[in-house]
Amino acid sequence: MKIKAKLAVMIFVAAAALSGCSSKKRIEPMDFQAKIELKTPEPAVSAYPRILFVGNSHTFYNNLSAMFVNIINCQGYEGDVRELAYSYYTLKQYADTDDQGGALLDKTLEKLNWDFVILQENTSNALSSVAEEEMFPPSRILDEKIRASGGQSVFLMTWAPRDGMKVGMRKQNRETIQSDLASTYMGIARELDALMVPAGVGFMRSVRDNPDIDLWDEDGQHPSSAGSYLTACILYSVIYQESPEDCPYVADLDTEVAKKLQKTAAELVLN
């Protein structure tokens, strides 16, 4: 009997928020259509990988890890996929073993050997104005633990709020915030020679190519079902190095909408 990938949700708490941070650093606008050089898994994904999602509500909204499981199952793969996600959480908290979430993650990393650990940072801590102090040090700590257990770190680049956000005293538009987040995630992934999932860039490409598909929830910060599905497709493309196009699993989306998102993911990662 074939065993399908299983999903164990370890922590599930609703809602997260973004906070403004002051910044004097000039953010260079990114060309979201340009090719991104992405590291490929080394070693390649095994026949039955252990994959752990670590993040906050951007991870557990719409059950992203379950969407990922459904995609890999429909593509003929199996695995052990689990999730650790607290509202508002930061990688700094996850790296702190005195913190409840950090202690649980530490035990989880010690108990099992994970092939891939997907790290999603709180948006406010991933802004360049604070990332060197708030995001990079805990990323290094977590990456060291993940590597020690034989796993690979995967940094999940999140998306800017739909209408931008206030940073310090100034409101910055979506494109500026996304350029900032992309620079930060690419920077830490490059430093640690880690994998990176450019979901935020995928959002920007889809907005241009498919303006009729709303990738954000009503709050303008969290992903809609379409946004989570796009992220799951990009994750699949990065980890499995295969296109999600023609995958029969489309979540609760219209089939044509899902096909457009599958195509965006494939072109972003594999072209």
Side-chain angles (χ1 to χ4, degrees), residues 7-260:
L7 171 67
V9 179
M10 303 172 64
I11 298 292
F12 189 91
V13 191
L18 305 173
S19 60
C21 304
S22 60
S23 173
K24 295 182 180 179
K25 182 177 179 180
R26 177 180 173 80
I27 306 302
E28 295 298 327
M30 178 180 181
D31 179 2
F32 299 111
Q33 311 310 317
K35 179 176 176 57
I36 301 177
E37 296 298 331
L38 296 171
K39 176 181 170 65
T40 58
E42 298 177 8
V45 63
S46 65
Y48 194 87
R50 285 197 177 103
I51 302 174
L52 177 64
F53 284 72
V54 178
N56 53 42
S57 57
H58 277 34
T59 289
F60 67 64
Y61 240 62
N62 306 308
N63 217 343
L64 172 64
S65 52
M67 284 188 176
F68 176 76
V69 166
N70 284 320
I71 289 173
I72 69 173
N73 282 171
C74 284
Q75 297 293 81
Y77 297 111
E78 305 170 358
D80 181 359
V81 180
R82 309 192 189 190
E83 176 186 302
L84 174 59
Y86 280 107
S87 287
Y88 304 99
Y89 250 55
T90 66
L91 295 185
K92 188 174 184 178
Q93 289 171 285
Y94 282 121
D96 181 4
T97 55
D98 290 329
D99 181 275
Q100 178 185 1
L104 181 54
L105 176 57
D106 192 62
K107 291 179 181 178
T108 303
L109 293 176
E110 287 184 355
K111 185 176 181 180
L112 293 173
N113 293 327
W114 298 94
D115 295 287
F116 300 94
V117 179
I118 300 164
L119 302 172
Q120 178 253 307
E121 178 62 292
N122 183 295
T123 299
S124 295
N125 280 24
L127 295 173
S128 60
S129 57
V130 298
E132 290 188 5
E133 294 182 1
E134 300 297 327
M135 178 181 175
F136 287 8
S139 295
R140 296 174 185 126
I141 292 171
L142 294 172
D143 179 68
E144 185 176 355
K145 291 181 179 180
I146 293 164
R147 288 178 184 272
S149 66
Q152 300 180 58
S153 299
V154 184
F155 287 93
L156 173 54
M157 178 201 300
T158 52
W159 40 90
R162 178 173 50 208
D163 301 320
M165 63 185 285
K166 190 174 182 180
V167 180
M169 301 300 293
R170 299 180 59 187
K171 177 72 177 291
Q172 295 187 354
N173 63 28
R174 179 173 63 204
E175 291 74 17
T176 299
I177 296 296
Q178 192 62 65
S179 296
D180 194 344
L181 294 174
S183 175
T184 298
Y185 275 96
M186 287 192 270
I188 192 61
R190 184 167 50 248
E191 176 193 322
L192 298 176
D193 193 28
L195 297 169
M196 196 268 292
V197 176
V201 175
F203 269 53
M204 299 301 291
R205 287 195 180 189
S206 183
V207 166
R208 185 200 70 166
D209 298 337
N210 308 300
D212 56 318
I213 301 177
D214 192 352
L215 302 175
W216 286 267
D217 188 51
E218 292 179 357
D219 64 11
Q221 297 179 2
H222 293 98
S224 65
S225 182
S228 292
Y229 184 79
L230 172 60
T231 301
C233 287
I234 297 172
L235 270 163
Y236 172 78
S237 297
V238 169
I239 292 178
Y240 284 85
Q241 289 295 293
E242 292 182 1
S243 171
E245 291 177 286
D246 298 321
C247 176
Y249 171 71
V250 298
D252 59 353
L253 304 175
D254 178 84
T255 299
E256 290 306 311
V257 168
K259 285 183 176 181
K260 290 178 181 179

